[in-house]
Amino acid sequence: MNSANQIYSNDRPLRILLCDDHALVMDGIRSRLECFDHINIIGEASNGVEALSLAGELRPDVVLMDISMPVMNGLEAAEKFRETLPDTKVVILSMHENPEYLRTAQQAGAKGFILKDVSSNDMVRAIETIANGGEAYSSTFDRISAGEGSNSDGVPLTTRERTVLRLLAKGASNKHVARELDISVRTVETHRRNIKRKLDIDSSAGLVRYAIEKGLVTLDTNA
């Protein structure tokens, strides 16, 4: 068993909830973390809705959450955790070094953004730091997490609105967005109107240009 130069100060083990829709990835993270004797994996979820439900029952200290998941993605779930379970810290795990995901995660209330390919020791140190009340980000994001370029567009879009905007900018119809996010077409239309109003943009083409300029949509648009 390892200690990773332990910085967690509490006598009891850290209670961790894992959330990822890929069983193989979840198994890999679990096996890495179970090597540390002060880490206790108390549950697993495959989407944000399941994570919120389990967290309400199990009360984990930290939730390690993927971004791209069905039903409710990690960014939307982080926002819900902030509203309903503020004592539970959310750490976003991702394979992608997209600064916009980091900014959106911070706005949603996540306390960390860690790339999945970090070492086990670095992952545990990040968890410990967050459990102790701090924040932790992979070194790729150091300048952004320190504030450089954070929320650079200055537009108060919610996590859901940013998700809708990404899908619309990628060419998805209202019906496709509704199906993808499991919401009604009328709700998508409401989000579209609110986004246009907040950005002061009248046309769909304008939304696409904005999304590209702000890095919400890139050549690689997978989360």
Side-chain angles (χ1 to χ4, degrees):
M1 303 291 276
N2 296 317
S3 66
N5 299 318
Q6 185 174 340
I7 61 174
Y8 178 60
S9 57
N10 203 313
D11 291 335
R12 67 173 177 78
L14 273 167
R15 295 165 56 81
I16 307 298
L17 175 66
L18 302 180
C19 185
D20 197 299
D21 63 323
H22 293 96
L24 188 61
V25 173
M26 188 126 64
D27 288 346
I29 294 172
R30 171 186 277 275
S31 65
R32 292 169 67 184
L33 294 180
E34 285 181 336
C35 294
F36 297 85
D37 50 16
H38 64 298
I39 298 291
N40 182 16
I41 308 298
I42 62 170
E44 298 178 355
S46 61
N47 60 65
V49 172
E50 289 182 6
L52 285 160
S53 178
L54 278 176
E57 299 173 11
L58 303 176
R59 299 292 173 169
D61 299 303
V62 176
V63 179
L64 299 183
M65 183 122 46
D66 188 24
I67 290 182
S68 180
M69 297 180 293
V71 185
M72 179 184 289
N73 67 44
L75 298 176
E76 293 166 341
E79 197 167 65
K80 293 291 186 182
F81 268 98
R82 181 180 60 187
E83 297 169 356
T84 62
L85 295 167
D87 291 335
T88 298
K89 308 299 191 300
V90 173
V91 181
I92 296 295
L93 294 177
S94 178
M95 288 299 296
H96 299 273
E97 302 179 14
N98 188 329
E100 183 57 34
Y101 292 143
L102 170 61
R103 297 185 186 108
T104 305
Q106 290 174 317
Q107 291 165 359
K111 299 302 181 182
F113 195 111
I114 308 300
L115 297 179
K116 290 181 180 179
D117 61 359
V118 300
S119 70
S120 298
N121 281 348
D122 285 346
M123 184 177 292
V124 170
R125 288 192 192 98
I127 293 170
E128 292 172 342
T129 297
I130 291 161
N132 280 335
E135 298 185 0
Y137 305 93
S138 289
S139 57
T140 304
F141 300 118
D142 278 348
R143 292 194 299 172
I144 297 172
S145 63
E148 181 177 325
S150 181
N151 196 25
S152 59
D153 52 40
V155 176
L157 293 183
T158 66
T159 301
R160 175 67 85 176
E161 287 168 347
R162 287 175 179 269
T163 301
V164 170
L165 177 56
R166 287 192 191 98
L167 291 171
L168 293 174
K170 287 156 57 178
S173 65
N174 287 352
K175 185 177 295 186
H176 178 86
V177 173
R179 185 169 58 250
E180 180 76 15
L181 301 181
D182 194 24
I183 57 179
S184 70
V185 172
R186 179 173 296 180
T187 299
V188 176
E189 292 170 348
T190 299
H191 282 310
R192 184 194 285 264
R193 286 196 300 271
N194 288 339
I195 292 167
K196 286 183 175 180
R197 174 179 54 80
K198 287 182 177 182
L199 301 181
D200 194 24
I201 293 175
D202 294 329
S203 67
S204 296
L207 291 180
V208 172
R209 284 195 299 271
Y210 174 89
I212 293 173
E213 289 171 359
K214 298 301 181 182
L216 293 173
V217 176
T218 62
L219 292 178
D220 179 6
T221 54
N222 294 317

